[in-house]
Amino acid sequence: MEYQLGVVFSGGGARAIAQVGVLHALTERGLEVECLGGTSAGALVAALYAAGHSTEAVLDFFETRSPFKLSKLSFGKPGLIDTAKIRDDLLEYFPDTTIESLDRRLFITATDLLNAKLTIFGSGSLIDALLATSSVPLVFTPTEIDGRWYVDGGIIDNFPVAPLIGLCDVIVGVYVSPLKALDMSQLSNSLAVSQRALEIARFHNSRHKFHDCDVMLCPKDLNGYLAFDTRYVRDIFDIGYREAVSQLDAIEAALASIIR
């Protein structure tokens, strides 16, 4: 290997499936990713890839192991879905796996709920870290690790590029929650307004980090898909794939400037 190619994946719920398409395009071109950083659903995509699963297997996970199932409803806990009930699904894909045992370097971010700090997991239990970073408030219950309680890593850092800086020769960023102007009729309830406000805050907190990437992908066609709607897995995959294909020459040019 003459270079270290890294990718950073934002959160974005079902829209993170576009990142699977990005990985597929890189693989087709023979570009090996050695280091990954991700948060929330982006961390799950990164972990599945880092564990050696094919892009088809990753798509199968999102089609058949959706966490948004009635069987996973929580009772007596602060969240609609009990995060702990997702553990068995993850064990099928990550049996007894630690982060440091993966084939590729992986960094996962989560928010320490009580201490109001960002935590970066680069070692330890992979499943615990994935549950922590995916614990979206109101939707999922918080995750406890060694006496600390964690929620969605995207609250503080929805684009965790920092752990990759200095480790990778070239970094490709993928942000899957692009913003577009809306009509007020599209914000007809409190949940829609709250989600819109959160996405605005996350985008403006993330965009100043885009310049840390050598190539930045932000597929605008993802605007039409909701974060918690997994009915369009293949369509979202195709959007990410097409976006990556359009930037493959730029990625290879960045790599060529390193290895020549």
Side-chain angles (χ1 to χ4, degrees):
M1 181 68 61
E2 297 180 345
Y3 59 82
Q4 289 285 326
L5 175 61
V7 297
V8 54
F9 289 158
S10 74
R15 292 188 293 257
I17 296 166
Q19 295 159 343
V20 188
V22 172
L23 290 171
H24 190 70
L26 293 174
T27 301
E28 279 190 337
R29 186 63 71 95
L31 300 175
E32 292 289 336
V33 176
E34 293 299 316
C35 188
L36 304 98
T39 195
S40 198
L44 182 53
V45 173
L48 287 162
Y49 177 82
H53 293 291
S54 67
T55 52
E56 188 63 34
V58 179
L59 287 177
D60 179 73
F61 175 89
F62 283 100
E63 287 181 321
T64 64
R65 299 291 191 274
S66 170
F68 311 109
K69 296 180 181 179
L70 291 178
S71 61
K72 294 181 173 61
L73 288 177
S74 68
F75 297 94
K77 294 184 178 182
L80 297 175
I81 297 173
D82 190 345
T83 308
K85 294 181 180 179
I86 304 172
R87 185 177 295 271
D88 287 343
D89 286 340
L90 294 179
L91 279 170
E92 292 185 31
Y93 288 79
F94 308 109
D96 302 320
T97 301
T98 60
I99 296 174
E100 58 267 36
S101 71
L102 295 170
D103 296 336
R104 299 169 173 86
R105 293 289 299 276
L106 175 65
F107 298 93
I108 296 171
T109 60
T111 300
D112 185 327
L113 183 61
L114 301 184
N115 295 297
K117 295 180 179 179
L118 182 72
T119 297
I120 300 174
F121 294 99
S123 62
S125 169
L126 175 59
I127 291 179
D128 283 348
L130 288 173
L131 292 176
T133 193
S134 301
S135 297
V136 180
L138 297 179
V139 180
F140 295 97
T141 59
T143 296
E144 187 268 335
I145 303 174
D146 296 332
R148 295 181 180 271
W149 291 92
Y150 295 95
V151 291
D152 182 8
I155 293 174
I156 295 179
D157 187 356
N158 199 39
F159 192 69
V161 66
L164 276 63
I165 297 174
L167 289 179
C168 304
D169 300 310
V170 172
I171 301 175
V172 176
V174 188
Y175 194 84
V176 296
S177 295
L179 290 178
K180 69 173 182 179
L182 298 180
D183 185 271
M184 196 58 197
S185 63
Q186 297 173 270
L187 303 175
S188 58
N189 56 63
S190 297
L191 181 60
V193 173
S194 297
Q195 184 174 348
R196 174 66 171 177
L198 180 60
E199 289 186 348
I200 291 172
R202 288 183 172 181
F203 178 78
H204 286 282
N205 185 46
S206 298
R207 66 175 183 173
H208 72 277
K209 304 172 191 174
F210 293 172
H211 73 274
D212 291 324
C213 298
D214 299 280
V215 179
M216 190 67 213
L217 310 181
C218 191
K220 294 181 179 179
D221 289 345
L222 292 175
N223 281 317
Y225 297 90
L226 299 176
F228 298 125
D229 190 346
T230 57
R231 292 176 297 172
Y232 306 103
V233 169
R234 301 284 168 169
D235 292 339
I236 295 173
F237 170 91
D238 287 341
I239 290 171
Y241 175 78
R242 292 195 301 269
E243 182 77 8
V245 167
S246 72
Q247 295 296 322
L248 284 175
D249 288 345
I251 296 170
E252 289 189 326
L255 289 170
S257 69
I258 297 296
I259 63 178
R260 68 181 176 210

